[in-house]
Amino acid sequence: MTLKAFQRSDGRWALQGVTNDPSAPGLLGRKYFHVGPHWFGVDDSFTDAVSVRAYFDPVEYRAMFQVDPARFDFIGYTQCAQLSFCGMPVPPQVYGGRLADREPYVFSPVQHFLDFMGPSDSLAARVGLPLYPFNSRLFGLKNEDLFSDLVPNGALWSPAPHGDRQSLVASLAANVAPGLVTRDRLGEAVAGLPELARITPKGELTLEYPAYQIALEALSNVPLKGSTVPWLNGLKPAQVEAELIGELVVLTLPDPEELGDALVVHTDRGPAGEPVVVVRVLPAYDLTVLKTDTGNDLLWRIQGHADRTGMRLPYPPARRGWGTSGLHSPPFRPPAEHYPLQLRYWTATIGVSGGGSRVLSCFTWALLFQYEEIGGRFIASALDEPQMVDGFDWHAAVTGLHKAQHTSPGAVIDPTNFTAAALWRQPYTGGPKLQFPSDRQ
């Protein structure tokens, strides 16, 4: 079956042909690219994390490379990444934030690391290959379940039959969460705040909907106790900026001066164990404090790493003196128009058979970050267009998994990095959006 992209009523793109069911297309996102046998979609409805999806068409691969995918037992995606600053590789721990816990998975001298569940989880699931659909084992799925188009982190493809709703392509569904505010820091900030609402989903609003959507629906339509008007009366989705930090969804509300308070939403359990949605209000000032200077602190860590490795950065030291120095003032200031920080991914399909596994096809893409001096932050501003590459070192990646399982068996990577990839996203347009190559031409 030929894959075909089409635009949905909400403006996002989807892909027809990923399953035999024409009513169940695969989501791509606000922007998509067709590179080699891969379809790659990007959804920045949430400013953080960005959701990416990839689909590998075995029919197109066979036509392009004259290799029959049916010679393999199954095919799946793998993904590795690298952080760099002005071309200098940066270890995940030096970067910090929500990528710091990837440190056990660094498998090369230039700081390539696996994008995969933590060593402790992969050991518990008895996973020996870092194929991205195996992350769905975090949902309790078994290997035989991973050939369905309904698998949260993407599906494996096989020429053999594997039951109903079998995927006709190999696929990947991933979160890219490079934020420097961790869920622990956010949790500390909201722990002492009173609850605005505690909502028990009823009727059409069940927990099949995301908790944040239940919260917005209830607060937009049902008055709080002691009020006659809904708390978010008249709110439009286009006014909301959404972020996902761990299992907490942060919804920044509209404000003329862009200093709106934020709703922090998560799920909990009631007295009888029933699911409830908890909403707290995080004042704009507290939200600003959480994010301010995280980029400046990162610049100090990068400067320290450059000093230790003998790397010379292309920016002169920041001028020091009255009004220009302080506890969090940066060691240097990248110009606002530069993209010094890069998070690059290599996304590859792997063919697996009884005789082993090999790389079939690989493309690379990257998020590019700009420095915001006023807030001392780094903002994911642009996406570097995906392009096909050769030479993906699959053997080193597999060795990296096994080494981490042996040397760091208790290491945990926040599982919400993977489970939240399945989160349904309302197409919010508030907040900064990624620039794509076509936007910058």
Side-chain angles (χ1 to χ4, degrees):
M1 181 179 291
T2 302
L3 301 182
K4 182 180 180 181
F6 67 96
Q7 197 164 23
R8 306 190 325 177
S9 59
D10 62 8
R12 290 183 288 186
W13 291 88
L15 194 62
Q16 198 78 49
V18 300
T19 176
N20 283 324
D21 184 356
S23 66
L27 180 64
L28 285 166
R30 187 169 69 89
K31 191 80 170 182
Y32 78 90
F33 303 87
H34 188 191
V35 50
H38 309 271
W39 295 76
F40 178 68
V42 182
D43 187 348
D44 56 355
S45 300
F46 283 26
T47 56
D48 191 10
V50 174
S51 172
V52 297
R53 294 175 183 269
Y55 302 88
F56 172 80
D57 185 350
V59 176
E60 189 169 11
Y61 176 79
R62 181 173 58 237
M64 292 180 65
F65 296 98
Q66 308 306 309
V67 175
D68 187 1
R71 62 189 285 190
F72 299 99
D73 295 334
F74 61 88
I75 295 171
Y77 271 103
T78 191
Q79 190 157 264
C80 300
Q82 179 203 47
L83 289 151
S84 63
F85 190 87
C86 297
M88 175 184 70
V90 176
Q93 279 189 346
V94 170
Y95 178 81
R98 276 171 271 162
L99 291 176
D101 56 11
R102 310 301 173 91
E103 190 70 26
Y105 278 149
V106 172
F107 63 84
S108 80
V110 290
Q111 305 299 320
H112 291 116
F113 59 90
L114 285 171
D115 181 19
F116 200 59
M117 71 172 93
S120 60
D121 288 320
S122 63
L123 278 170
R126 298 183 179 181
V127 172
L129 294 176
L131 297 178
Y132 212 88
F134 288 150
N135 288 311
S136 294
R137 296 290 300 274
L138 294 168
F139 291 88
L141 299 180
K142 298 180 174 64
N143 285 349
E144 56 266 29
D145 301 324
L146 303 184
F147 296 89
S148 166
D149 67 300
L150 300 175
V151 176
N153 290 117
L156 301 171
W157 175 84
S158 173
H162 279 272
D164 296 336
R165 295 299 297 263
Q166 180 173 345
S167 180
L168 301 180
V169 300
S171 59
L172 169 150
N175 267 338
V176 181
L180 293 170
V181 177
T182 64
R183 67 171 181 169
D184 289 342
R185 283 195 64 193
L186 177 61
E188 291 171 0
V190 302
L193 298 175
E195 294 177 0
L196 172 71
R198 196 170 181 87
I199 303 162
T200 301
K202 296 178 181 178
E204 294 183 358
L205 289 180
T206 69
L207 279 183
E208 294 175 3
Y209 284 75
Y212 75 90
Q213 189 65 18
I214 293 172
L216 286 183
E217 290 281 348
L219 293 174
S220 298
N221 295 288
V222 181
L224 295 176
K225 187 176 181 179
S227 177
T228 57
V229 179
W231 198 74
L232 292 179
N233 188 42
L235 181 74
K236 297 180 175 60
Q239 300 172 293
V240 177
E241 176 181 344
E243 296 173 87
L244 178 63
I245 301 177
E247 72 282 3
L248 303 174
V249 177
V250 182
L251 304 168
T252 303
L253 303 176
D255 181 84
E257 298 181 357
E258 298 185 355
L259 293 172
D261 292 339
L263 301 180
V264 180
V265 183
H266 68 95
T267 57
D268 198 358
R269 293 286 171 180
E274 73 278 12
V276 294
V277 174
V278 179
V279 187
R280 290 182 172 87
V281 178
L282 183 63
Y285 173 80
D286 293 339
L287 182 61
T288 300
V289 168
L290 267 179
K291 298 180 178 181
T292 298
D293 292 325
T294 54
N296 289 346
D297 294 341
L298 171 58
L299 289 178
W300 278 110
R301 294 195 297 273
I302 288 174
Q303 181 67 67
H305 180 67
D307 292 343
R308 290 189 297 273
T309 57
M311 183 77 178
R312 185 171 180 177
L313 298 173
Y315 301 115
R319 193 168 50 123
R320 321 300 288 177
W322 181 259
T324 60
S325 61
L327 183 62
H328 294 284
S329 61
F332 52 89
R333 292 180 172 86
E337 67 273 14
H338 285 195
Y339 297 96
L341 181 62
Q342 175 180 275
L343 173 58
R344 177 161 294 280
Y345 284 85
W346 287 264
T347 305
T349 42
I350 307 299
V352 181
S353 62
S357 57
R358 55 166 281 197
V359 178
L360 302 186
S361 178
C362 179
F363 67 96
T364 185
W365 54 280
L367 282 184
L368 309 177
F369 297 74
Q370 289 175 297
Y371 174 66
E372 181 189 79
E373 184 173 352
I374 293 178
R377 300 189 297 168
F378 273 97
I379 307 295
S381 304
L383 184 127
D384 191 34
E385 184 168 357
Q387 54 185 317
M388 296 282 288
V389 292
D390 295 321
F392 180 82
D393 197 343
W394 170 238
H395 175 74
V398 175
T399 301
L401 171 65
H402 296 164
K403 181 181 177 181
Q405 290 174 333
H406 178 71
T407 61
S408 306
V412 175
I413 293 176
D414 182 358
T416 60
N417 286 317
F418 309 100
T419 57
L423 179 69
W424 179 77
R425 286 161 166 78
Q426 179 79 15
Y428 295 128
T429 54
K433 297 299 170 192
L434 290 175
Q435 283 192 320
F436 294 96
S438 58
D439 302 328
R440 303 199 299 274
Q441 292 175 353

